[in-house]
Each structure stands twice: as C-alpha cells, then as structure tokens.
Amino acid sequence: MINNNFILTILNLLINLIDVLVVLLPILLSVAFMTIIERKQLAAHQRRVGPQVVGYYGILQPFSDALKLILKETVIPSQSNKVLFYLAPVSTLIFSLLGWAIIPFGQGLTLFDFSLGIFYTLALSSLGVYGILFAGWSANSKYAFLGSLRSTAAMISYELILSSAILIIILLAGSFNFSTIIETQQAVWFIVPLLPIFIFYFIAILAETSRTPFDLQEAESELVAGFFTEHSSVPFVFFFLAEYSSIVLFSCLTAILFLGGYNFPEIIVNNTIINLQAIILGLKTCIFCFMFVWFRATLPRLRYDQLIDLCWVNILPIAVAFIIFVPSLLVAFDIAPY
C-alpha cells in the first residue's frame, strides 16, 4: 500500500514543476521574440526592411534560426577542456533563468517571494561572470580568452555602479523584497526623484549584459565573437539565450525598481475590477527592451580604456556621492522608512 505522505509529496512536486513551467515557457518565448524585435527595430533605425520571409511579417524567424543552429555540427577544439567547454554555456543560461524565480508578476504572483530578493539577484549576476571565464579558458584560444577577460573586467567594474544604485533604492524602500519595493512606489515611481541614479543604473546594466556600447568581448581588431568564438550549434544557442534572457530580466527589474512594477490604477468595467498587473509589468518591460536596442543602433563601441575611465573616474564618484546624499535627505526631513 502506497503511503499517503508519499502521494502528497509527488503531487506537490508536480504542482511546483507546473508552476515553474508556467513561468519558464513564456519567458523563453519572450526571449525568442526579443531577437526578432531587435532585428526589426535595427532595420527601422537603418532604413531596412528586416526579416519578413519566414512567417507573417517574419514572426517565425526566431524558430527558423533556432532550428538552423541546432542542426549544425558541434565542433569541439581538440586542445580544449571539454567539461568546462560544455559547463560554460549551460551555467550561463541557468544563472540568467534563475533570476526569474523571485520576480513578482502581480500581487502574490511569484514563484518565491524572497525577503532578500535584491541580494539573490546581485548574487546571480555575479555568478554569471564564471560562465564567461569558463568559456574563454576552456576553448584554449587566445581570442576567446582575451574576450572573456575584457567582458569579465567590464562586468565586475560596473557591478559596483549597479550595486550603488540598488542600495539607494533599498534606502528609500526600507526593504530587500521586490514586492515591498513595488508597494512603496504607489504614490510616486522612483524614477521621478531618482532620475540621475536611473541614468547611471541603466549604463551599468548595459555593461552588465555586455551590450553596445560596452560589448568589449568583440574587439575591433578581432573579427570574431569573443569568448564564445569556439562554441557552435547548441552551446552557442545557450549563450545566445542567456544574453537575451538577461536583457529581458534586467528590463523587468528596471521596471520594478524605477517604474513601480505591476502598480497601475485599477480599471473598473461594469462594477468588475480588471486585474491588468502582469500586462502592465510586461508593457513597462518592453520600454526598457526598446531602449537596449535603441542604444545598440545609436552608440558606437567604446574602447577598453574609455569604459574603465567612465566607470572608475566619472560614474563611481557620483554614485558614492548619492549614497551619502540620499540617506542624509531622508534623515534631515525625518522621512526614512526605518
């Protein structure tokens, strides 16, 4: 006779698995469509048509690209470390997807309402560096290794800026929990009083996701892809998904931290309250996804020394000044939330 506790355990596991799939599958679809949105937007900026052959208005192009890459042969360099060679793309993708576990899509709609959500997000973004290092080191290629070093140096440098901006938001909200931060912005979104902080925060997430003008893994003198030069087929797909998953994730985090997340006035139709919280969060996320592509189409790539100077010489002193200035204002006017 099967124990009832065993049956309940299996049912709980199945329910948790369904919850994860309900969140994960739409995210993977959104990542796929982010690629076609980027190509269409870049085409609009450059007065081109963009993808329009596969499916209506080119909407099935991401699936065609995925099928093409999966069917390609996986080439492994003979002198490479094969364990790290495969571990790098897998770990990069897993760390980028794990960040969605604590995102509140609506009031009470989250996989895990973690009280230290900010710390969890910063830890995952720091762990993503290892995937890039593993990729460059395992390939036993000079170009791949140099690309990984450049990208890692940029990510570590701009994590200081990112952490400084998030620290100021924590001081205003008085909590590390994303749901509490969203509820704190019911009166006013943080982007209004913290506009200068939002500017250097967005610069930091551009560098954190290795996007133009901070995509230093692709050096001008090296016409190669940087740290994943030697990766092809499915490993390359994993790196590609991880990059665009990080873009969508950081766009969503930006909407939560600065635009109030899912907060929006309630809409009442025929005495019925329509809950549009998840849709509102998605629309706000799309704004910042558009900005990622807009910056790529507009700005040229910086040199390595320019990127380091921008971080350590220009932005970091401003960030430290705001870390001192904002709590001083809160204490002076007796409006600190703690």
Side-chain angles (χ1 to χ4, degrees):
M1 185 176 178
I2 300 176
N3 192 346
N4 290 334
N5 291 332
F6 177 75
I7 296 175
L8 290 175
T9 303
I10 296 298
L11 287 175
N12 287 331
L13 287 175
L14 288 175
I15 292 172
N16 291 334
L17 180 61
I18 291 172
D19 288 342
V20 171
L21 290 176
V22 166
V23 173
L24 191 60
L25 292 179
I27 288 169
L28 291 176
L29 282 175
S30 67
V31 169
F33 284 110
M34 179 63 199
T35 62
I36 185 66
I37 290 170
E38 179 177 45
R39 293 173 68 178
K40 281 289 187 181
Q41 188 179 333
L42 288 174
H45 282 292
Q46 298 162 0
R47 293 191 177 183
R48 295 185 290 106
V49 177
Q52 61 173 355
V53 176
V54 185
Y56 176 74
Y57 203 60
I59 200 170
L60 297 179
Q61 186 67 46
F63 304 101
S64 173
D65 294 339
L67 181 62
K68 176 190 70 174
L69 288 169
I70 290 172
L71 293 178
K72 283 180 175 291
E73 180 185 3
T74 302
V75 180
I76 305 175
S78 58
Q79 302 298 320
S80 65
N81 186 322
K82 294 177 177 56
V83 175
L84 290 181
F85 190 83
Y86 281 111
L87 181 63
V90 172
S91 62
T92 304
L93 179 60
I94 289 175
F95 289 141
S96 65
L97 292 177
L98 281 176
W100 291 98
I102 58 170
I103 296 296
F105 299 97
Q107 196 164 8
L109 296 177
T110 179
L111 286 177
F112 181 39
D113 193 16
F114 192 26
S115 59
L116 298 176
I118 295 287
F119 281 157
Y120 175 84
T121 302
L122 291 177
L124 284 179
S125 67
S126 300
L127 288 173
V129 174
Y130 288 101
I132 295 174
L133 277 177
F134 289 163
W137 178 263
S138 65
N140 198 23
S141 166
K142 179 184 75 172
Y143 296 120
F145 185 60
L146 290 177
S148 69
L149 286 182
R150 280 191 296 267
S151 186
T152 302
M155 291 173 71
I156 292 175
S157 298
Y158 279 86
E159 273 185 9
L160 291 171
I161 311 298
L162 181 65
S163 304
S164 302
I166 293 177
L167 176 61
I168 294 170
I169 292 172
I170 293 171
L171 292 172
L172 276 180
S175 175
F176 296 98
N177 181 265
F178 283 123
S179 298
T180 306
I181 292 173
I182 291 173
E183 298 302 325
T184 308
Q185 299 179 70
Q186 286 184 346
V188 60
W189 293 344
F190 283 160
I191 194 171
V192 177
L194 301 180
L195 183 59
I197 295 163
F198 166 76
I199 292 173
F200 69 72
Y201 165 87
F202 198 79
I203 292 173
I205 63 174
L206 283 175
E208 187 71 17
T209 53
S210 298
R211 297 287 291 180
T212 307
F214 306 112
D215 52 340
L216 289 186
Q217 67 268 29
E218 302 175 15
E220 289 289 356
S221 59
E222 304 164 10
L223 298 179
V224 291
F227 61 89
F228 49 82
T229 298
E230 305 296 337
H231 290 78
S232 60
S233 187
V234 177
F236 175 78
V237 172
F238 281 8
F239 277 124
F240 201 68
L241 285 175
E243 178 183 346
Y244 283 87
S245 176
S246 298
I247 291 171
V248 180
L249 175 61
F250 274 104
S251 298
C252 187
L253 289 175
T254 308
I256 289 172
L257 295 176
F258 288 97
L259 292 186
Y262 54 76
N263 266 339
F264 197 76
E266 293 178 344
I267 298 176
I268 301 177
V269 179
N270 295 330
N271 296 324
T272 302
I273 297 177
I274 300 176
N275 189 342
L276 299 175
Q277 291 179 340
I279 297 175
I280 294 302
L281 178 61
L283 292 175
K284 292 177 181 178
T285 302
C286 288
I287 294 173
F288 296 110
C289 288
F290 169 82
M291 291 179 66
F292 268 97
V293 185
W294 181 24
F295 281 23
R296 178 181 177 182
T298 306
L299 300 177
R301 180 184 294 129
L302 295 180
R303 293 196 317 268
Y304 182 76
D305 60 310
Q306 291 174 326
L307 179 135
I308 297 301
D309 283 347
L310 180 65
C311 172
W312 294 95
V313 178
N314 299 314
I315 300 180
L316 188 60
I318 299 174
V320 173
F322 272 107
I323 290 174
I324 299 172
F325 178 66
V326 171
S328 300
L329 281 181
L330 295 177
V331 173
F333 290 96
D334 197 21
I335 54 175
Y338 35 83

